[in-house]
Amino acid sequence: MVDLNAIAERATYVGSGEHKRFPNPLCDPHLRTDAADCDAVDAQLSQSPQLLTRWLREAIRRGQVSDVLEGDFPRKAWAWVPTAVGSRLVEARLTNSTAGQYKGYFVQLNEDLPSKIRKALLSTGSWSGVLS
């Protein structure tokens, strides 16, 4: 059995310049043309790595994660987060399975998500308390 609480305590958000147009505390911007532009949704969110780590950890604790593990960590985690333009769905992707580091980007709630995650996200609505 996987202890999601223990895993969550070790997980951190490190970001990715591939999804940024503006400098932030974690990485230099190197926006890819085919990547989600997180700064277009809420540039201030990228400036708060501590809040994003709190969101990530809470998503893992709640089991909003993929069934696939890489090392000790789930490959992906999902949650609704408040942004400057309303609640948006964020997908966190494991980038370093040894250190438990994740990047995150905005996605659509659609059939590409695992059905258990889709159902859970539809029932939870906004997790505004996570980032407040």
Side-chain angles (χ1 to χ4, degrees), residues 20-39:
K20 308 289 187 285
R21 285 188 287 144
F22 305 116
N24 70 61
L26 298 175
C27 55
D28 292 326
H30 298 289
L31 182 64
R32 287 190 350 238
T33 57
D34 64 336
D37 182 353
C38 295
D39 289 336

Side-chain angles (χ1 to χ4, degrees), residues 9-78:
E9 287 306 311
R10 295 172 39 218
T12 56
Y13 172 83
V14 297
S16 168
E18 296 174 341
H19 301 279
K20 308 289 187 285
R21 285 188 287 144
F22 305 116
N24 70 61
L26 298 175
C27 55
D28 292 326
H30 298 289
L31 182 64
R32 287 190 350 238
T33 57
D34 64 336
D37 182 353
C38 295
D39 289 336
V41 175
D42 190 338
Q44 293 295 52
L45 199 55
S46 295
Q47 303 300 319
S48 304
Q50 298 86 356
L51 291 177
L52 290 163
T53 292
R54 283 177 42 208
W55 157 76
L56 170 65
R57 290 177 174 173
E58 186 61 23
I60 293 171
R61 281 187 198 97
R62 292 179 185 222
Q64 305 272 128
V65 297
S66 62
D67 292 332
V68 177
L69 296 178
E70 294 181 13
D72 294 337
F73 298 92
R75 179 180 292 165
K76 294 182 179 181
W78 297 270

Side-chain angles (χ1 to χ4, degrees), residues 83-99:
T83 71
V85 295
S87 292
R88 297 287 193 225
L89 181 60
V90 172
E91 178 175 278
R93 172 69 168 93
L94 185 65
T95 58
N96 182 322
S97 61
T98 303

Side-chain angles (χ1 to χ4, degrees), residues 65-128:
V65 297
S66 62
D67 292 332
V68 177
L69 296 178
E70 294 181 13
D72 294 337
F73 298 92
R75 179 180 292 165
K76 294 182 179 181
W78 297 270
W80 294 108
V81 298
T83 71
V85 295
S87 292
R88 297 287 193 225
L89 181 60
V90 172
E91 178 175 278
R93 172 69 168 93
L94 185 65
T95 58
N96 182 322
S97 61
T98 303
Q101 297 175 334
Y102 288 78
K103 66 179 182 178
Y105 40 86
F106 295 103
V107 296
Q108 298 295 316
L109 180 60
N110 60 34
E111 297 298 319
D112 294 337
L113 295 174
S115 62
K116 75 167 189 166
I117 298 299
R118 232 180 15 260
K119 288 177 189 173
L121 291 169
L122 286 170
S123 70
T124 59
S126 174
W127 289 3
S128 58

